[in-house]
Amino acid sequence: MNPLHEARLSIRRELEAPPALRKFGSGWISGVLGLMLGLAALGSVVMLRFPGVFVMKESARLVAHPGFRTGMLALLVLAFLFSMLSLLLRPGKALGTAGMVAVLAAVSFGGPQAQAVTPDLTPLYFGLDFFVLRLLFTGFLFIPLETVFPHRAEQGIFRYEWREDLFYYLVSSMMVQVLTWLSFLPAQTLLAITSWSAFRAWVAALPFIVQFIAIMFLTDLVQYWVHRLFHRITALWRFHAVHHSAQAMDWIAGARMHFLEILVLRGTTVIPMIVLGFSQDAVNAYILVVYLYATFVHSNLGWKFGFLEKLLVTPRFHHWHHGIEKEAIDVNFAVHFPLLDKLFGTHHMPENGRWPEGYGISGHPVPKGYWRQFLHPFQRKKKGA
Ligand SMILES: [Zn+2]
Ligand SMILES: [Zn+2]
C-alpha cells in the first residue's frame, strides 16, 4: 500500500480510537493537541507566505502584526511539547509523529520568520486564516464543554463522519469572501433603492440591547419561514436534506450545509438587519452571536436549561429538529425563539426532557461525501430519494 495512504489511515485510526484508548494519561489528548496546534502553525506559515491569497482583508493587519509571529512561535513550541509528550506516553506513535512532521514542515517553510513570496495579485482571497481561527476558537470553547457535559458521552470528538463535516467547515471558511459578498448583495441592493433615512436614523438610535433583540427576532422570523419552505418544497428540500443527513450532532455538525442553501439562508435573513438601518455595532454583535449560537444549538451538550428552554432555543430543541423519528419531522424551525414554532404550530418539546433516539433522515437518502452531496440536489429524483 502507498505509505502516505497508510500513514493517513493510522492517524485516522488513532483519532477515532475507542474511549478506553483515549483516557487521560494515554497520550491521546496530547497527541491530538500537538497535531492540531502543529497544523495551525503550518496554516499560519502559509498565511505569511501567501498573504494575498490566504488572508482575509479584514485580518490582513492582524497577520502583519509582529504579535502574529510571536503567537506562531508559541503554537510551534506547544505543538512540539505536546507531540513529544504523546510520543513518550502512547504506544501508537502515529499522532505524535504527525504532530512533529507538522512542526518540522512549518519550521522548514520559514516558521515565524517566513516572508511573503508573492505580492497581492488579485482582490480575491481564500479565508485560510478564518478557518484556522474559527476552528481554534470554537474548538477550544466547545470541545471541553462537550467532553465535560455531554449529551451522548460515548460519541467522542472524532465521531461518525467528522471528516465530512470538517470539510464543510473548510469550504465555507475558505470561501468566506464570496459568501459574505453574495449574502449581503440582496440586502445592500434593497438598501440602495429604498430611502427611509429618517426611520433608519430612529432605529440606529435605539438602545443597543433593544436593537440586538429586534435583530434576533426579525432574523429568526425570516429564517423560520425560509427554513420551513426548504422543508416544504421538494426541490428545496433536496438542498436542505444535506444539512439533515448528519447522523451525529456536535459543534461541527451544523457546518454541513449545501453551499446554495448557505447563500439563500444568509441572503434572506440579513435583509431586515440591513434594510431597517440597525447600527453597525448591533449588526456586528449579532453576527458574532449567531455564529456561536448556531454552533451551540447543534452541539453535543446535555445541559438542562429549566424555564430558559421555553424562552430560547437550546441544543435539545434543535436536536429534535434533526431527530430521525416520525415525531421529529417538520418541527422546531426556529433558531432563537421557540415562540415562533408555538405561534405557527410546529413546536415539539417532550415534557420529560426526552431527546431524539437518533439523527438524520429515515432511510438515509443523501449520498456520502461533500461533492456527491453538492451534486445531489441537481440530480434527477430517483425513487425514494
Ligand atoms: Zn431543517
Ligand atoms: Zn441544524
Side-chain angles (χ1 to χ4, degrees), residues 205-264:
L206 289 169
F208 174 84
I209 188 71
V210 175
Q211 291 193 53
F212 187 83
I213 293 171
I215 294 178
M216 244 177 121
F217 186 81
L218 293 169
T219 309
D220 205 15
L221 184 65
V222 174
Q223 187 281 140
Y224 176 95
W225 285 106
V226 175
H227 189 180
R228 215 169 145 175
L229 278 180
F230 267 103
H231 278 245
R232 187 63 180 273
I233 297 171
T234 313
L236 289 179
W237 167 251
R238 293 175 65 77
F239 286 92
H240 188 54
V242 170
H243 183 63
H244 280 270
S245 69
Q247 292 176 50
M249 294 287 275
D250 63 2
W251 65 288
I252 208 164
R256 177 190 295 239
M257 195 179 272
H258 196 281
F259 199 78
L260 278 182
E261 187 190 342
I262 302 180
L263 282 179
V264 173

Side-chain angles (χ1 to χ4, degrees), residues 3-252:
L4 257 179
H5 182 66
E6 210 167 323
R8 240 185 56 204
L9 277 184
S10 51
I11 293 170
R12 205 184 132 194
R13 252 197 314 273
E14 276 286 78
L15 290 174
E16 294 171 357
L21 301 178
R22 300 199 303 250
K23 280 204 195 94
F24 188 79
S26 69
W28 188 82
I29 299 173
S30 52
V32 171
L33 273 171
L35 180 56
M36 296 303 132
L37 297 175
L39 289 175
L42 190 57
S44 310
V45 174
V46 175
M47 291 174 216
L48 288 172
R49 285 269 174 187
F50 308 96
V53 185
F54 289 116
V55 178
M56 308 195 311
K57 286 280 169 296
E58 292 77 7
S59 50
R61 276 180 45 207
L62 185 79
V63 174
H65 192 275
F68 184 81
R69 292 171 189 269
T70 317
M72 199 177 128
L73 185 65
L75 274 183
L76 282 169
V77 171
L78 283 173
F80 177 83
L81 290 176
F82 279 126
S83 302
M84 184 64 100
L85 182 64
S86 175
L87 284 173
L88 289 173
L89 289 172
R90 197 161 181 79
K93 306 296 179 198
L95 288 179
T97 312
M100 284 297 183
V101 169
V103 170
L104 263 175
V107 171
S108 40
F109 289 133
Q113 271 83 45
Q115 295 303 319
V117 288
T118 53
D120 194 351
L121 294 172
T122 67
L124 299 174
Y125 55 81
F126 297 102
L128 178 64
D129 52 342
F130 188 50
F131 175 67
V132 172
L133 269 179
R134 207 177 149 193
L135 215 54
L136 283 182
F137 178 70
T138 334
F140 274 97
L141 193 63
F142 280 91
I143 292 174
L145 288 177
E146 287 188 347
T147 309
V148 182
F149 311 102
H151 161 51
R152 295 179 169 226
E154 71 290 351
Q155 185 167 279
I157 315 168
F158 299 97
R159 41 66 173 177
Y160 180 67
E161 294 194 336
W162 65 272
R163 294 177 310 151
E164 283 79 353
D165 292 347
L166 189 64
F167 194 72
Y168 272 96
Y169 224 85
L170 176 74
V171 173
S172 63
S173 308
M174 294 295 254
M175 303 306 283
V176 61
Q177 184 188 23
V178 63
L179 269 173
T180 309
W181 191 78
L182 286 172
S183 314
F184 281 91
L185 190 63
Q188 299 290 6
T189 313
L190 282 172
L191 181 72
I193 59 171
T194 47
S195 50
W196 310 329
S197 36
F199 176 73
R200 283 181 189 135
W202 177 76
V203 170
L206 289 169
F208 174 84
I209 188 71
V210 175
Q211 291 193 53
F212 187 83
I213 293 171
I215 294 178
M216 244 177 121
F217 186 81
L218 293 169
T219 309
D220 205 15
L221 184 65
V222 174
Q223 187 281 140
Y224 176 95
W225 285 106
V226 175
H227 189 180
R228 215 169 145 175
L229 278 180
F230 267 103
H231 278 245
R232 187 63 180 273
I233 297 171
T234 313
L236 289 179
W237 167 251
R238 293 175 65 77
F239 286 92
H240 188 54
V242 170
H243 183 63
H244 280 270
S245 69
Q247 292 176 50
M249 294 287 275
D250 63 2
W251 65 288
I252 208 164

